[in-house]
Amino acid sequence: MSRESNNAAWRPCAKLTTLQIRAQLLRQIREFFHQRQVWEVETPILSRHGVTDPHLRSFTTLYHEPGERHGQVRYLHTSPEYAMKRLLAAGSGSIYQLARVFRNAERGRWHNPEFTLLEWYRVGFDHQQLIDEVGVLVQQLLQPALGALTIERVAYAELFQQHLGIDPHRDQPSVLRDCAVAHGIIPPPGLSLTERDPWLDLLLTHCLQHQLGQSGRISVLYDYPVTQAALARIRPGDPPVAERFEFYVQGIELANGFHELNDPQEQRRRFEQDNQHRRLQGQATLALDEEFLASLAHLPSCSGVALGVDRLLLLATGQQQISEVISFSFGRA
Amino acid sequence: MANYSTNEFKGGLKIMLDGDPCSILENEFVKPGKGQAFNRVKIRNLKTGRVIERTFKSGESVEGADVLDLEMQYLYSDGEFWYFMHPDTFEQLSADAVAIGDQAKWLKEQDACQLTLWNGTPLSVTAPNFVELTITETDPGLKGDTSGSGGKPATLETGAVVRVPLFVQIGEVIRVDTRTGEYVSRVK
C-alpha cells in the first residue's frame, strides 16, 4: 500500500451526515430569528483588545502595517459580545450572530479551541424573558433527536442547598472545601482558600453538573453569586444576585446569558478587578477596551446569550465528543 | 526528577502523588464557560495497584516519578528475595515478596520478566505472558481420553497449580498463559 493511501489523517473527524445535520441546524437557527425579526450581524474576529476575564485566554497574532517590521498585537475574539453591544448602543435593535470564536488553552472532550457560538441580544428583555426564548429554540432544535423536552428553572442557590446543603452566596471557602471533601473530592493543590468561586466551580462540575438536564429536561440555572456576575446586572436583595443564567442538557453546559449590565463605571470596576486578579495569578494584564466602555452608556436595557452550536449538534446527533461534530477538529485543522 | 504540568498528563506518565509513584490512566479537561479550569485525572498507584481519581487546577505541576520498565532475566530465589539480572549490563537486582506478589508461581530460571523499578528498586514484577513448565504432580489420566472434559489439577515445577486435560501426564512440559492461569497446550 502506498504511503498516501495509508494516511487517513486528511479525512474529516465528523461523518458527512453529521455535517449535513449541522447545516440544517444553522438553517433552522436563521429561520428562527427571521421569524422573530432579529437580524443577523457580523463583527470583527480580530480586535485591538482582548478580554480581561482571568479564566479566558485569547489567541494573539501580529498585524503588520504595510512596510512595518515588528507588527502590533491583535486578539482573536473569545465571543462577539463587545462588538455586538456597540451595535446595540448605536441603535441596532435585537441582533444575532453565528460567530466562530477562539479560546486558547481549552481543549478536551467538550472543548475545541475554535468553535461556533450563536450569540443574540434582545432589547427590552430581562434574563427571565430571554430564558423563555432560548428554551423555545433549544426545544425546537433538539426535538427530533431527544423528543419533547421540558424547561426546569433552578436558582443557583437552590441547587447547591438542595444537593449539597450549602449556601453558595454566603458560605466561606473553608466550608465549601469541607463540602467537597465530604463528597469524596481531594482538594486540588493550589486552589485558593481566600476565594469562594473556584470551590463553587469545583462542586458544580464534580457533584452537580452531571444531573442537570437529565430525563427529558432542559435545566436552567439562574441568579448567580455576585462574584460570578461577569457582564450581568446585579439585582439588590438579601443576598444580591447576578442576573445571569446557564442552560444544561444531559449534563452539558450549552449556553450562558446575562441581563446585560449597562453601567460603564461598574463595568470598568469589574474589568479592573479582573486585571487585579490576573496580577495576583501572575498573568499578563490587558488594556481596557475604552470604546466598549464608552458605548455602554448608550446600551439599551437588554439581555443576551451565547449558545455553543457544536455542543448543540453533539446532543442532536448523540455523539460523545466535540471532535465528532467538527469537520476538522484542532488536531487535524 | 522533572515536573509535569496538567497538559502533559498523558496515559502512562509516571508522577508522584502523596509520596507514592503513580501512573496516569485518563485525563479529562473540565471547564465551566466562565470559571476555573480543572483536569480530572484517573491514576493508578503503582505500589498498591489501586485506581484513584484526582482533580488538579489546569496548569498545576506535579513531580515526576522515576519509574522505569525493564526486561530482566530471572535468576533464582532464596525464599526472601527474588534475584534478576540485566541481560546487557549483568547488573543484578532483588525484588521482595510485595513486588513479586502472585507472580512468584510462574517464575522459572532464565525467563525474561518485566520489572517496574522506582528509584532503582523493583515495585512490581510481571512474568512473561506465556511460560513453559514441567508437570511434577497430577493424577494419571484415563488412556485414550483426548477430549479434555473437565480436566484435572496439575502441579508445576514452580509450585503453580493449573487445570490440564486428562491426557496430560507427569514429566510433560506445558504452555500456560500467566495472565489467566490457563493451560494452553503441550510442548513437544
Side-chain angles (χ1 to χ4, degrees), chain A residues 154-160 168 200-201 204 221-225 228:
Chain A
V154 196
Y156 192 92
E158 186 189 329
L159 181 75
F160 278 75
L200 293 174
D201 287 340
L204 181 65
L221 266 187
Y222 68 96
D223 285 354
Y224 277 64
Q228 296 181 29

Side-chain angles (χ1 to χ4, degrees), chain A residues 182-200:
Chain A
H183 285 82
I185 302 168
I186 296 167
L191 209 60
S192 165
L193 268 173
T194 57
E195 296 172 284
R196 286 188 291 128
D197 292 332
W199 296 98
L200 293 174

